[in-house]
Amino acid sequence: MKVRFKIYHFKKISSTNDQAKTLAEKGLIDVVVVADEQTKGRGRFNRKWISSLGGLYFSVLLKEKNTDKIKYLTFIAAISVVKAIFQSTKLKTKIKWPNDIHINNRKLCGILTENVLGKVNQVIVGAGININQSKFNKKISNIATSLKIELNKKTNKEKILSHFLKEFDKLYVQYKNEEYARILKLFKENCDTIGKNVKVKTLSEIFCGKVIDVDEDCNLILKLDDGKLKKIIEGDISIVD
Ligand code: BTN
């Protein structure tokens, strides 16, 4: 299957999401910006995303009228990363709600979805996958991993990207057809956060409880220690057990 995206490849840029934003402002859509290294890679909550050689850093730029459901784009990207990694390496990875892919309790990939508001609404879905890095700096070495560390051998980055784009494009058709229930089901099958006891940090509060579901608006549903239900729209979770 031929992928319909036009790919722009850079050796080193600030951030593929920022570069995709520049292309968005020029009116481009359906393009993918890929970089070997980023000097200003960003994560959620404006955190730095360390983007050294060996990782795969890319952003997909899409046109999007209805921005209500764009969290589903993060979900389809996460599912596509899990599938692409499995197709290339046979490694089974899991999604941590809403945007992390992990294996053996360490993070392998993060996804950052951003909206570009303008004459035409565009959405940028950026992903950083740790592929051929042999090690990470001290600050993150106990929470991050790469395919190289897990498999003790190199993986072809281009193949991962091409599997990703094929899977993403398939799921994007479901997204465009508003088949959200189908996507949510697939997300839940690949997400291991449901059923776990977690600590959730939102921008202003901290909640502890058991994850009982992900709802149709992509929120996490938490049963708090006092038995009440709490809907988490955005937050950072750490697994307690
Ligand atoms: C996160 O886990 O907080 C999300 C990390 C997203 C990183 C990717 S790397 C490619 C794209 N460009 C960026 O600056 N960020 C995303």
Side-chain angles (χ1 to χ4, degrees):
M1 187 169 117
K2 198 173 171 331
V3 169
R4 67 188 165 90
F5 298 103
K6 180 165 168 44
I7 298 181
Y8 290 78
H9 181 262
F10 295 83
K11 280 200 153 66
K12 197 178 200 172
I13 50 172
S14 58
S15 150
T16 55
N17 269 34
D18 290 346
Q19 183 63 35
K21 216 169 269 178
T22 307
L23 298 180
E25 279 152 13
K26 292 184 181 156
L28 272 74
I29 49 153
D30 293 342
V31 302
V32 179
V33 178
V34 191
D36 295 336
E37 276 180 277
Q38 298 183 119
T39 52
K40 281 193 182 147
R42 288 182 283 111
R44 289 196 310 149
F45 308 114
N46 232 0
R47 289 192 202 115
K48 185 178 160 81
W49 181 261
I50 296 172
S51 312
S52 51
L53 269 178
L56 172 63
Y57 313 104
F58 65 95
S59 303
V60 185
L61 170 60
L62 303 157
K63 184 160 141 193
E64 188 50 71
K65 273 203 304 273
N66 168 17
T67 51
D68 289 3
K69 296 285 184 190
I70 63 167
K71 285 184 179 168
Y72 274 100
L73 289 176
T74 303
F75 280 15
I76 67 171
I79 300 163
S80 305
V81 170
V82 169
K83 290 191 170 207
I85 290 174
F86 184 73
Q87 286 161 10
S88 283
T89 67
K90 296 283 170 267
L91 269 187
K92 286 189 177 153
T93 57
K94 284 285 180 185
I95 305 168
K96 185 175 112 183
W97 179 92
N99 72 321
D100 282 4
I101 314 302
H102 66 100
I103 186 162
N104 297 329
N105 295 322
R106 282 164 198 246
K107 183 159 168 169
L108 196 58
C109 164
I111 294 160
L112 178 67
T113 302
E114 295 179 305
N115 211 348
V116 189
L117 296 174
K119 269 181 261 155
V120 201
N121 279 351
Q122 288 136 307
V123 176
I124 293 163
V125 184
I129 313 179
N130 297 329
I131 297 190
N132 290 324
Q133 297 98 318
S134 302
K135 55 180 192 292
F136 293 96
N137 77 25
K138 257 202 221 131
K139 271 193 197 154
I140 59 164
S141 61
N142 59 340
I143 52 165
T145 190
S146 67
L147 293 180
K148 170 96 183 287
I149 294 170
E150 297 301 320
L151 295 164
N152 220 6
K153 62 173 187 194
K154 279 189 158 188
T155 299
N156 184 315
K157 289 199 293 180
E158 286 71 35
K159 272 207 182 128
I160 297 258
L161 180 62
S162 128
H163 285 309
F164 172 90
L165 291 175
K166 279 179 199 151
E167 290 301 327
F168 185 85
D169 222 13
K170 274 195 239 162
L171 290 168
Y172 189 64
V173 172
Q174 296 181 16
Y175 172 82
K176 279 288 176 201
N177 291 337
E178 302 186 0
E179 294 176 66
Y180 304 121
R182 205 166 155 195
I183 297 170
L184 187 58
K185 183 170 177 281
L186 208 50
F187 180 84
K188 289 185 193 177
E189 282 165 11
N190 286 284
C191 170
D192 64 354
T193 315
I194 299 169
K196 295 260 168 72
N197 287 311
V198 297
K199 183 163 128 184
V200 184
K201 268 193 203 167
T202 67
L203 284 178
S204 52
E205 285 170 286
I206 294 182
F207 300 98
C208 289
K210 186 172 182 162
V211 177
I212 57 162
D213 203 4
V214 175
D215 74 9
E216 68 280 3
D217 292 319
C218 304
N219 303 313
L220 196 72
I221 307 296
L222 205 62
K223 188 170 190 178
L224 300 177
D225 295 340
D226 64 7
K228 287 191 183 128
L229 294 188
K230 176 83 198 162
K231 188 195 284 181
I232 306 289
I233 298 168
E234 191 167 47
D236 229 4
I237 59 173
S238 42
I239 310 292
V240 175
D241 55 90

